[in-house]
């Protein structure tokens, strides 16, 4: 039996947790007395299916079932992890913890999504207080990996480490706080910016849109890849952070900021904020804005993944773990393993791979088939070490057939057949599958070259031997439909 997560409270955050766990292969059991719960969760799940799998170029686990329970006790009974995402009402949370622990005792960790309460406050009346900690995520939970992990002193190191393992295993980045503090770390930083932004609008210095422009066109882009302190380290020049503090530290005593208080949120001021916000983005529904947000997040996060910076480092780690779990590094030394086409790609279509027609951009088909060729090259021994030694394959000719549409979030896989692998030539035929259909094919002819002379050359004996083995095995397969076609050729 797989792992089971119980999600208690399924608003925006609870629904995001449900989607994150389910798409990472967990069985999810949800409890929320609101009759709209199932509808809300399904909507979040649909958004997550379109976006989360496309963050990494690896096969995701089979999606776990999401089951709705009418009873809290039934929902948590078989849980390996319990995530509470109830409204920020301390007495309500404590009451629910009591009911949960009456059912499961102290064996299961109860993690609260609270954005403000300390774990010692939450666990004050609990029968097993050492089973309660804070795991505070950020919206959308199914995309953003940060989760602030806050235990109190009574929680054992073993339970904390187990919690980190669970959260890391679903692709999140658990930030372990050194000690309890109201509102943890990230929300305290957010509140500081929020307070100052309210004063800027209140004092007529800037509108809500202008404040947002200052963030999204400026320092927000720096923060996404480097955070705060590393950004300022660069600002200090070659002398680094020490010079930055010496130069700009005195300015902290100047009366620039109004963080010591907050403007009174009168009905008039709240109305002004709402009117400016409506003028800024009111033409779009919240649902439309969520779609825009998710698409932009995927594009930014994938760009950072390519660079290995910021959140990209977490995505690379997740991708590597998924590939290891899927057995992506295969030897294929046994001919019985290569009697069928070789699976060279297995992933979802990212949101940023689609074009104005709403389907996969034609350039991305070439990228997918290029990835499949690269995978095949590694299988036969043309890996990074071999390329570093001075040998590689260059593509000489490519022909792609587009047979049916593929949309964002679709699970795709590529099967590869080696038609020829003798001498300097490697002739591959890829088929891109989705939902049981071949949606595209790519035929590629490559030539082995010396990277020193940039001229055709013979591959190593090992590569020749492995290519010959695969070619012989694939020769027994039916010839794939479409081999040898050219543009405009009659069917």
């Amino acid at each position: 039996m797989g792992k089971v997560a119980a999600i208690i409270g399924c608003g925006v955050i609870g629904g995001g947790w449900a989607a994150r766990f389910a798409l990472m292969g967990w069985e999810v059991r949800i409890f929320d007395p609101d009759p709209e719960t199932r509808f809300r969760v399904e909507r979040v799940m649909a958004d997550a299916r379109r976006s989360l799998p496309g963050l990494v170029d690896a096969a995701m686990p089979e999606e776990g079932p999401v089951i709705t329970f009418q009873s809290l006790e039934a929902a948590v009974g078989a849980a390996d992890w319990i995530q509470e995402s109830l409204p920020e009402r301390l007495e309500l949370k404590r009451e629910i913890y009591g009911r949960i622990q009456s059912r499961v005792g102290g064996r299961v960790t109860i993690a609260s999504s609270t954005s403000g309460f300390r774990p010692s406050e939450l666990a004050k009346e609990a029968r097993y207080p050492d089973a309660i900690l804070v795991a505070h995520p950020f919206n959308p939970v199914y995309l953003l990996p940060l989760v602030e992990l806050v235990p109190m002193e009574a929680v054992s190191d073993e339970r904390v480490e187990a919690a980190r393992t669970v959260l890391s295993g679903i692709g999140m980045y658990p930030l372990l706080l050194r000690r309890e503090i109201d509102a943890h770390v990230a929300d305290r930083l957010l509140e500081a910016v929020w307070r100052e932004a309210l004063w800027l609008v209140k004092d007529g210095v800037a509108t809500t849109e202008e404040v947002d422009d200052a963030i999204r066109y400026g320092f927000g882009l720096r923060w996404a890849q480097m955070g705060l302190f590393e950004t300022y380290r660069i600002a200090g020049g070659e002398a680094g952070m020490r010079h930055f503090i010496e130069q700009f530290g005195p300015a902290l005593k100047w009366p620039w900021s109004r963080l010591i208080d907050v403007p009174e949120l009168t009905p008039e001021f709240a109305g002004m904020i709402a009117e400016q916000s409506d003028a800024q983005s009111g033409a779009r529904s919240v649902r439309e804005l969520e779609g825009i947000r998710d698409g932009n997040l995927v594009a930014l996060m994938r760009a950072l993944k390519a660079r290995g910076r910021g959140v990209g480092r977490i995505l690379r780690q997740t991708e590597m773990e998924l590939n290891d779990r899927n057995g992506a590094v295969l030897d294929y030394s046994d001919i019985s393993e290569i009697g069928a086409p070789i699976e060279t790609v297995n992933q979802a279509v990212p949101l940023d791979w689609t074009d104005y027609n709403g389907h996969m951009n034609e350039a991305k088909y070439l990228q997918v088939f290029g990835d499949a060729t690269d995978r095949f090259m590694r299988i036969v021994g043309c890996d990074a070490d071999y390329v570093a030694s001075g040998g590689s394959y260059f593509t000489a000719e490519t022909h792609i057939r587009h047979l049916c549409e593929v949309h964002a979030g679709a699970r795709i896989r590529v099967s590869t057949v080696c038609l020829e692998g003798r001498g300097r030539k490697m002739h591959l035929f890829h088929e891109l599958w989705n939902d049981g259909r071949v949606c595209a094919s790519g035929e590629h002819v490559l030539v082995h070259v010396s990277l020193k002379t940039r001229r055709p050359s013979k591959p190593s004996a090992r590569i020749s031997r492995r290519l010959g083995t695969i070619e012989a095995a694939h020769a027994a397969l039916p010839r794939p439909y479409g081999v040898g076609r050219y543009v405009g050729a009659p069917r």
Side-chain angles (χ1 to χ4, degrees), residues 115-415:
S115 58
F117 293 127
R118 304 184 187 198
S120 56
E121 294 178 294
L122 298 171
K124 191 172 183 179
E125 299 174 4
R127 186 180 306 178
Y128 305 97
D130 59 328
I132 298 171
L133 49 75
V134 168
H136 173 235
F138 293 82
N139 188 39
V141 182
Y142 53 80
L143 281 183
L144 297 182
L146 179 64
V147 53
E148 294 178 303
L149 187 59
V150 192
M152 56 183 179
E153 289 186 10
V155 177
S156 69
D157 292 343
E158 290 76 17
R159 190 180 291 272
V160 172
E161 189 55 38
R164 293 176 73 167
T165 299
V166 166
L167 296 168
S168 298
I170 59 171
M172 303 196 80
Y173 177 72
L175 179 65
L176 181 62
L177 267 63
R178 296 173 179 272
R179 62 184 180 90
E180 293 184 78
I181 187 172
D182 294 334
H184 324 313
V185 170
D187 276 355
R188 294 175 76 93
L189 295 171
L190 286 172
E191 184 174 303
V193 175
W194 173 237
R195 285 171 181 263
E196 193 66 23
L198 287 174
W199 277 118
L200 291 170
V201 175
K202 173 73 172 177
D203 293 343
V205 175
T207 65
T208 59
E209 184 171 14
E210 289 163 352
V211 169
D212 285 351
D213 286 347
I215 296 171
R216 60 191 169 198
Y217 300 142
F219 61 85
L221 293 171
R222 299 187 308 199
W223 284 4
Q225 54 168 323
M226 287 187 167
L228 177 65
F229 284 96
E230 196 166 51
T231 294
Y232 283 162
R233 186 172 191 268
I234 293 174
E238 292 299 327
M241 179 60 79
R242 187 176 300 278
H243 176 67
F244 176 81
I245 292 176
E246 290 172 353
Q247 185 173 4
F248 295 102
L252 294 174
K253 296 182 180 180
W254 298 348
W256 284 0
S257 172
R258 299 187 63 169
L259 292 180
I260 56 174
D261 55 3
V262 64
E264 185 179 356
L265 295 173
T266 63
E268 294 76 18
F269 182 40
M272 182 175 72
I273 293 287
E275 287 174 9
Q276 290 187 14
S277 179
D278 288 344
Q280 175 183 348
S281 54
R284 295 187 176 92
S285 68
V286 170
R287 183 76 173 146
E288 289 173 319
L289 290 173
E290 287 174 339
I292 292 170
R293 174 202 66 192
D294 287 3
N296 290 339
L297 281 174
V298 169
L300 287 169
M301 292 166 75
R302 284 184 62 85
L304 289 170
K305 180 168 74 76
R307 307 293 298 176
R309 291 292 305 184
V311 70
R313 182 173 59 84
I314 308 304
L315 293 179
R316 280 192 179 184
Q317 180 65 30
T318 299
E319 187 173 293
M320 186 166 58
E321 290 174 357
L322 286 171
N323 279 328
D324 287 345
R325 205 177 303 169
N326 298 330
V329 182
L330 301 177
D331 183 23
Y332 288 101
S333 58
D334 184 350
I335 194 169
S336 65
E337 297 180 30
I338 56 174
I342 297 172
E343 184 177 282
T344 46
V345 169
N346 190 328
Q347 66 170 96
V349 176
L351 288 172
D352 60 330
W353 279 17
T354 55
D355 61 15
Y356 47 83
N357 291 318
H359 57 210
M360 196 162 114
N361 184 299
E362 63 185 54
K364 297 304 179 183
Y365 286 89
L366 179 59
Q367 179 174 329
V368 169
F369 290 137
D371 290 344
T373 297
D374 287 344
R375 172 76 195 289
F376 185 86
M377 286 168 56
R378 292 194 296 273
I379 289 171
V380 299
C382 187
D383 53 18
D385 291 338
Y386 184 81
V387 172
S389 73
S392 187
Y393 280 90
F394 286 3
T395 302
E397 188 172 348
T398 297
H399 182 221
I400 296 176
R401 297 159 61 235
H402 303 271
L403 304 176
C404 61
E405 291 184 291
V406 180
H407 300 97
R411 303 291 180 104
I412 59 173
R413 64 180 182 86
V414 174
S415 60

